[in-house]
């Protein structure tokens, strides 16, 4: 029986260990980690109730965000909320691109 006492290639006990041969996919920063393609909210922001069957409820899409509501009345009430901007004396009019706050 032959036993090998070969030293492992990677010694994890070193605190400053750096990989020397990254994969091609690891050579750049992943953009999907920080920039999701879509977000879905299944808690009605007006009532606070969690929705389980979102297919049967109205929704509002704003860019990559989809918000589901219990009723059409709560969706309309949310859509009718004024824009909540910290600076009320803007030198220009607010637009749909501004933050709704909340």
């Amino acid at each position: 029986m032959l036993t090998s006492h070969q030293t492992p290639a990677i010694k994890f006990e070193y605190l400053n260990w750096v990989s020397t041969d990254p994969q091609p996919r690891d050579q750049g920063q992943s953009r999907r980690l920080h920039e999701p393609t879509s977000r879905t909210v299944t808690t009605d922001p007006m009532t606070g109730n969690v929705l389980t069957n979102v297919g049967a409820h109205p929704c509002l899409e704003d860019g990559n965000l989809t918000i589901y509501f219990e009723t059409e009345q709560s969706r309309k009430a949310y859509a009718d909320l004024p824009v909540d901007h910290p600076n009320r004396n803007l030198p220009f009019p607010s637009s749909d691109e501004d933050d709704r706050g909340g």
Side-chain angles (χ1 to χ4, degrees):
M1 179 175 201
L2 192 59
T3 59
S4 174
H5 296 290
Q6 192 174 16
T7 305
I10 299 173
K11 294 185 177 183
F12 291 104
E13 63 268 12
Y14 295 130
L15 294 177
N16 60 350
W17 177 78
V18 177
S19 174
T20 56
D21 53 344
Q23 298 291 321
R25 68 169 189 262
D26 299 329
Q27 292 178 359
Q29 177 67 42
S30 170
R31 299 193 59 77
R32 293 188 56 82
L33 177 66
H34 303 291
E35 297 177 12
T37 56
S38 66
R39 295 178 298 157
T40 303
V41 176
T42 58
T43 302
D44 187 327
M46 301 305 287
T47 63
N49 295 330
V50 177
L51 308 172
T52 55
N53 181 14
V54 294
H57 295 282
C59 68
L60 181 96
E61 293 183 11
D62 185 13
N64 68 348
L65 175 65
T66 303
I67 305 171
Y68 287 93
F69 299 89
E70 276 190 290
T71 63
E72 184 61 33
Q73 290 80 15
S74 64
R75 188 200 67 79
K76 183 165 178 12
Y78 181 82
D80 291 342
L81 285 174
V83 175
D84 184 18
H85 199 279
N87 186 358
R88 297 192 185 273
N89 300 317
L90 292 174
F92 51 87
S94 64
S95 70
D96 289 338
E97 299 300 317
D98 293 330
D99 185 19
R100 284 189 168 276

